[in-house]
Amino acid sequence: MNHVLARANVIHTPAPVAAQPITADRYISTDWLAREADRIWPRAWLFAGLERDLAEPGDYRVFNIAYESILITRTEPGELAAFFNVCQHRGARVVVNDHGWVKNFVCPYHGWTYGYDGHLDHVPDPERFTGGIDCEKRSLRPIRVGAVGGLVWICMDEAAPSLTDFLGEAWQAVAAYHLEDMTLYEDQTVELDCNWKAVFDNFGELYHVDHIHPQHELLFDCPTAENHLFDYGHTGVVIDGHTVNTRMPIPEKPNPYLKGQLRMFGGDPDAYDGRVLEIRTDIPRLRREAGPRLGWCYDDMSDLRLSDIEQYNFFPNTMITVQPDDAIVMRTRPHPTDPNKCFWDKLTFRRQPRAEVADRANVAFEPHDPADVADVPRPEHDQFTQDEIIAGNKSMTITIDQDIHLIRDIQAGMRSRGFRDAKLCDDEIRVQHYHDWLNHWMGDRSE
Amino acid sequence: MIESEKRRVPYRALSNGQMIVVDVEGEAILVCRVEGRYHALRDLCSHADQALSEGRLRGHTIYCPLHGSRFDVRTGECLSPPATFSVKRFLVEESDEGLFVSRAREED
Ligand code: FES
Ligand code: FES
Ligand SMILES: [Fe+2]
């Protein structure tokens, strides 16, 4: 007889408004979409790019959200800077590429020229402006920008809290994994026929996992996961890893996935016959012992982090999954005009093994796969439609492909007269917390 | 095609990621080396009157310093707006006497 060791939901900060039913309008109405563009996107800190893509002064990246286009760059003194990508002459886009390097930001329309700090440095034929031009007033309109863990965030609201206050406790957990030291392996965007929040909701609950991701029962114990609810509508979940779904009969022998995880860190799979649940408790020790030889340092990682997996959703649209040696940073963005469409961005990171770690521990460096040590060039951004995933031409991992197969049907269902509102289970508490905060942001927020 | 002058590039070798400009019959030609191979393009953006050699070379991509169009140095292909046309490509040869670039357009 197996029993589920349910873990409690941890409420760090309750939502500021009472729970409301989650009705279809927020997923399907253009009115909602337009109000989000006024109340959500210009007021929250948004994940907008990677610091590594802005290494030199003049490197830039453009981040598009709803109908806004944001230009992010690095100035000569080496600071990050962000501006509305809007020329102060007549409103053209100052840069028309999504990334690159330029000597100055020269508007392609009439050649107004701005420095990396946004200052209007040059206007062609200034004598044609009777009364002159006040270059200070006509410089690019700056917005707030900051970086943590190698991720760049922007905020269009001067009155918003600081980036670290906004990300708060949930970020403290992510920070422990040092994303800034991981290598970017993949940069993908899928265009999907659903509202951006339908993707976000999908990453706010594990209730669906037993049903559409059967492979997970061989790796994680989702039913006992611990949900965390934070300030500003952020949420998290901590899931036991290196184990099996304890709601199912516990197998006599480790399954092939667990065998692989054990072997990776020098463990003997046969030693776990009849004691499969002890793999998770032994993995931190095995990992610490094998880490230096494999080129990974786990000195400042807790035992729980060495066995488990954590996932955090940052209000309003960023989802981060972390494990000691890999991470996924995802983001969902609305289509500018159609509530039934969205963009889902996925960045895949891995920690490359490093010889210095072995050297420091005075052991021979034996990376798990010598190919993992090779330099990885910055991957090109790959954008495709859900149909390419469904046809099997593109993949974002088995798990995410499984979600994509299902998610446009959810949108279609919510548009039906046959759907009234969602009925959430206790494990979907993160979804409710997020939507309560969303209601708060969509209202006038006068507490 | 008319035989045109082959011009010795005043460098025996460029290091990877480096570029130089040579004048061949009055035309400025950008010569660069990436991953051990030499490439040559007309040193003029196809969008406006701007030398590409004042931009940045990263991997096989050159960034125009003016409005940021990107070009593939292997083909001259335009990779991003506002430019829309490719940039002319030239033949570069390496021999014992050095590096030579010719105005003859390279055949594929
Ligand atoms: S709109 Fe930019 S220079 Fe005229
Ligand atoms: S001159 Fe090169 S992009 Fe405009
Ligand atoms: Fe899923």
Side-chain angles (χ1 to χ4, degrees):
Chain A
M1 167 74 201
N2 303 306
H3 62 278
V4 176
L5 252 184
R7 293 198 281 192
N9 290 327
V10 186
I11 302 174
H12 301 262
T13 309
V17 294
Q20 294 287 318
I22 300 171
T23 52
D25 51 346
R26 65 187 57 210
Y27 300 95
I28 61 176
S29 108
T30 44
D31 176 56
W32 251 86
L33 188 79
R35 284 195 296 132
E36 285 169 355
D38 286 336
R39 291 168 184 251
I40 307 292
W41 309 118
R43 297 204 286 192
W45 280 94
L46 305 174
F47 165 55
L50 299 177
E51 238 193 323
R52 71 194 68 199
D53 290 331
L54 301 160
E56 273 186 53
D59 283 348
Y60 67 87
R61 288 263 156 185
V62 171
F63 167 58
N64 295 321
I65 187 77
Y67 49 73
E68 293 292 2
S69 175
I70 306 297
L71 164 62
I72 311 167
T73 188
R74 198 175 282 282
T75 63
E76 283 299 351
E79 303 289 327
L80 289 174
F83 309 96
F84 288 102
N85 182 17
V86 176
C87 181
Q88 298 300 303
H89 173 223
R90 270 181 47 217
R93 292 271 183 253
V94 177
V95 299
V96 293
N97 283 311
D98 58 352
H99 74 277
W101 175 89
V102 280
K103 201 164 162 202
N104 305 287
F105 294 112
V106 180
C107 177
Y109 203 2
H110 312 93
W112 280 30
T113 301
Y114 305 89
Y116 300 155
D117 57 358
H119 187 263
L120 177 60
D121 288 340
H122 171 71
V123 171
D125 307 323
E127 68 287 352
R128 289 161 82 175
F129 290 82
T130 305
I133 296 166
D134 183 339
C135 286
E136 310 308 316
K137 276 211 186 111
R138 292 281 158 183
S139 289
L140 293 179
R141 294 259 326 272
I143 63 172
R144 298 168 74 186
V145 61
V148 284
L151 311 184
V152 177
W153 306 70
I154 59 98
C155 179
M156 300 175 229
D157 183 3
E158 276 307 316
S162 72
L163 173 61
T164 42
D165 282 355
F166 179 77
L167 297 179
E169 260 180 279
W171 181 263
Q172 296 316 312
V174 174
Y177 293 86
H178 298 286
L179 293 188
E180 66 278 13
D181 297 335
M182 292 191 189
T183 301
L184 180 67
Y185 273 78
E186 226 166 18
D187 178 359
Q188 298 170 302
T189 297
V190 61
E191 301 162 14
L192 213 54
D193 288 342
C194 73
N195 186 269
W196 64 277
K197 296 184 294 298
V199 175
F200 206 75
D201 291 348
N202 179 67
F203 284 83
E205 52 96 353
L206 300 174
Y207 185 38
H208 75 271
V209 172
D210 286 2
H211 302 275
I212 72 170
H213 309 306
Q215 71 278 11
H216 281 215
E217 70 192 47
L218 306 173
L219 289 158
F220 305 108
D221 192 12
C222 291
T224 62
E226 182 178 84
N227 292 311
H228 291 256
L229 310 182
F230 299 99
D231 210 355
Y232 295 112
H234 312 314
T235 68
V237 64
V238 184
I239 311 162
D240 286 3
H242 297 86
T243 187
V244 290
N245 184 327
T246 53
R247 251 186 5 170
M248 312 285 177
I250 308 300
E252 208 30 51
K253 290 173 184 297
N255 63 51
Y257 292 102
L258 292 174
K259 281 187 180 164
Q261 291 177 327
L262 280 165
R263 284 199 196 101
M264 172 111 173
F265 298 106
D268 172 14
D270 294 337
Y272 290 89
D273 284 3
R275 31 191 295 266
V276 164
L277 295 185
E278 287 169 50
I279 297 174
R280 172 169 174 269
T281 43
D282 284 358
I283 270 285
R285 178 181 51 81
L286 294 170
R287 240 178 155 140
R288 285 188 204 287
E289 283 166 9
R293 146 174 82 76
L294 298 169
W296 287 311
C297 175
Y298 300 122
D299 291 352
D300 57 3
M301 282 263 170
S302 69
D303 279 359
L304 284 182
R305 291 208 157 114
L306 292 182
S307 58
D308 296 348
I309 177 163
E310 297 180 67
Q311 194 252 324
Y312 292 89
N313 285 354
F314 290 91
F315 189 92
N317 68 333
T318 300
M319 302 158 278
I320 303 182
T321 306
V322 274
Q323 287 184 280
D325 300 321
D326 48 85
I328 304 172
V329 177
M330 299 193 292
R331 175 177 62 189
T332 125
R333 288 176 293 132
H335 184 278
T337 55
D338 187 348
N340 301 300
K341 291 187 188 312
C342 74
F343 305 96
W344 176 358
D345 306 314
K346 173 175 181 259
L347 295 163
T348 309
F349 297 87
R350 262 182 260 156
R351 193 181 310 286
Q352 287 194 288
R354 291 210 310 257
E356 306 94 84
V357 179
D359 290 350
R360 246 184 286 133
N362 262 316
V363 293
F365 179 42
E366 291 162 9
H368 188 68
D369 180 350
D372 291 344
V373 186
D375 272 354
V376 178
R378 204 261 182 235
E380 291 281 337
H381 178 227
D382 192 11
Q383 182 155 334
F384 40 84
T385 65
Q386 64 196 349
D387 298 312
E388 293 189 74
I389 297 261
I390 290 166
N393 300 333
K394 293 282 179 182
S395 175
M396 293 170 87
T397 70
I398 304 180
T399 302
I400 290 178
D401 297 353
Q402 289 164 336
D403 289 322
I404 289 173
H405 274 257
L406 208 103
I407 228 160
R408 69 172 149 189
D409 289 348
I410 300 173
Q411 184 73 16
M414 286 189 297
R415 284 178 79 179
S416 161
R417 283 177 184 76
F419 179 76
R420 241 193 333 256
D421 62 11
K423 169 72 184 155
L424 300 183
C425 76
D426 299 351
D427 289 347
E428 292 170 296
I429 191 173
R430 298 172 69 203
V431 176
Q432 186 69 51
H433 184 72
Y434 171 76
H435 283 274
D436 293 345
W437 273 92
L438 190 71
N439 291 341
H440 175 58
W441 284 67
M442 291 294 279
D444 62 8
R445 284 202 298 172
S446 50
E447 275 106 310
Chain B
M1 187 167 280
I2 30 166
E3 248 316 295
S4 69
E5 183 192 351
K6 274 190 189 173
R7 184 66 187 263
R8 185 170 193 278
V9 178
Y11 274 82
R12 184 151 181 94
L14 294 171
S15 48
N16 276 319
Q18 218 187 357
M19 51 185 171
I20 50 152
V21 185
V22 285
D23 184 296
V24 179
E25 298 168 5
E27 179 153 25
I29 295 178
L30 175 161
V31 180
C32 66
R33 184 178 183 200
V34 183
E35 290 175 6
R37 300 204 48 179
Y38 296 95
H39 307 279
L41 297 180
R42 183 181 197 188
D43 188 21
L44 187 65
C45 183
S46 64
H47 181 237
D49 186 9
Q50 169 64 52
L52 287 175
S53 55
E54 287 168 27
R56 285 279 193 284
L57 175 66
R58 286 181 189 161
H60 288 105
T61 305
I62 188 154
Y63 295 74
C64 175
L66 195 50
H67 306 111
S69 278
R70 303 191 294 268
F71 299 89
D72 189 320
V73 293
R74 291 166 292 194
T75 58
E77 188 195 351
C78 174
L79 302 174
S80 75
T84 48
F85 302 115
S86 39
V87 168
K88 201 167 147 190
R89 196 171 65 141
F90 294 91
L91 189 70
V92 215
E93 287 168 333
E94 199 186 9
S95 74
D96 288 345
E97 290 104 77
L99 210 54
F100 291 85
V101 59
S102 117
R103 275 201 74 193
R105 193 153 171 197
E106 186 170 334
E107 309 291 339
D108 287 86

